[in-house]
Amino acid sequence: MKIRTLIVDDEPHAIEVLKNYLSRFSEMEITATCTDGIQAFRLLQQKPIDLMFLDIQMPGIKGTDLLKSLKNPPKVIFTTAYSEYALDGFELNAVDYLLKPISFERFLRAVDKIYQLNEQKGKPLISHEEPVSDTHTFIYLKVDRKTVKVNINDILWIESLRDYIKVVALNNQVYITRQKISLLEEMLPENRFVRIHRSFIVSLNKIDSFYAYSIDVAGHELPIGRNYKQDVQKKLKAERLQM
């Protein structure tokens, strides 16, 4: 389900920064951008908005005054260069308060709060709105406190670890991130990966050999689940025909 998002800021550069950050999340839909509070007020009367990134110090009407004027405001993340407005922002029940210049790491923390409020904490922080295609060859994973760019061509397999997943890649690279394996599976190109088990996804072109109930990848034997066997055989057959 998309999170309909509005950006309100009188600085074009600040709008572009937020648009760039938001474009990396499949759940975020930028409904509109506004350069002043009056324009935003009118738009909010016409279109449903779930989340608003709102600058405070703007000509005409402050962001805090705009929020006070709304009967049914959306969730709000304040963005400003002035730390002295922080108390006002939180008194208005803002989800978060971002100080400019906004780093992507700090932005991620704010977005994670939105996921928590929507009971979507497990959603992946992926850098594309659509499944990765041949023209999009990487994903972003939130690992500890940083966001890591991972080339999907380097991925050997993905393993579920309860509330986390482990992405194993070439050159002994391992990334552990909090998300569900099924959500990441949706983001990967179907013709290049196969789900072999409820806990494993493997890259088709990294398979060294396979048996009735297991697959060898980079010297590791991974199990084929009974419920996945038919689909795995179909994918492997198609892969052999393309060779």
Side-chain angles (χ1 to χ4, degrees), residues 156-157 194-197 200-204 206-225 228 232-233 235-236:
L156 297 173
W157 77 84
V194 59
R195 182 82 172 265
I196 66 168
H197 188 276
F200 291 96
I201 298 171
V202 300
S203 172
L204 283 166
K206 299 298 192 301
I207 295 174
D208 297 321
S209 59
F210 58 91
Y211 308 90
Y213 292 100
S214 66
I215 282 177
D216 287 340
V217 180
H220 294 263
E221 186 176 350
L222 307 178
I224 298 176
Y228 297 87
V232 170
Q233 290 176 339
K235 284 279 186 74
L236 291 175

Side-chain angles (χ1 to χ4, degrees), residues 130-232:
E130 300 175 353
V132 181
S133 66
D134 289 336
T135 58
H136 294 110
T137 60
F138 60 87
I139 58 176
Y140 281 103
L141 298 175
K142 187 178 180 182
V143 180
D144 294 327
R145 296 185 177 182
K146 62 182 178 180
T147 301
V148 180
K149 180 179 178 180
V150 180
N151 192 319
I152 65 167
N153 296 320
D154 294 340
I155 296 175
L156 297 173
W157 77 84
I158 299 157
E159 180 178 353
S160 175
L161 305 171
R162 294 191 177 182
D163 295 332
Y164 293 81
I165 60 169
K166 178 172 71 173
V167 178
V168 181
L170 295 174
N171 301 318
N172 298 316
Q173 295 294 311
V174 176
Y175 309 95
I176 297 178
T177 182
R178 183 184 177 89
Q179 59 183 256
K180 296 179 181 178
I181 193 171
S182 58
L183 293 173
L184 182 55
E185 181 184 16
E186 293 176 3
M187 305 303 298
L188 296 170
E190 292 184 9
N191 64 331
R192 297 171 67 180
F193 290 85
V194 59
R195 182 82 172 265
I196 66 168
H197 188 276
R198 61 187 178 88
S199 298
F200 291 96
I201 298 171
V202 300
S203 172
L204 283 166
N205 63 10
K206 299 298 192 301
I207 295 174
D208 297 321
S209 59
F210 58 91
Y211 308 90
Y213 292 100
S214 66
I215 282 177
D216 287 340
V217 180
H220 294 263
E221 186 176 350
L222 307 178
I224 298 176
R226 182 177 301 174
N227 294 333
Y228 297 87
K229 185 177 180 180
Q230 186 175 354
D231 186 52
V232 170

Side-chain angles (χ1 to χ4, degrees), residues 61-128:
I61 180 173
K62 290 183 178 179
T64 48
D65 292 334
L66 168 63
L67 186 55
K68 290 175 184 177
S69 71
L70 300 174
K71 291 183 179 179
N72 297 300
K75 295 181 178 68
V76 171
I77 295 175
F78 278 118
T79 61
T80 181
Y82 304 97
S83 59
E84 59 265 29
Y85 292 116
L87 181 60
D88 291 338
F90 287 117
E91 285 181 348
L92 290 170
N93 295 318
V95 174
D96 210 338
Y97 186 98
L98 302 179
L99 279 175
K100 299 176 182 177
I102 302 168
S103 69
F104 185 59
E105 179 183 356
R106 183 63 183 86
F107 181 85
L108 279 175
R109 287 161 55 193
V111 169
D112 190 55
K113 291 181 181 180
I114 296 297
Y115 288 153
Q116 291 182 50
L117 289 172
N118 290 342
E119 297 182 351
Q120 297 177 349
K121 188 174 182 180
K123 281 191 173 290
L125 300 179
I126 304 296
S127 63
H128 307 291

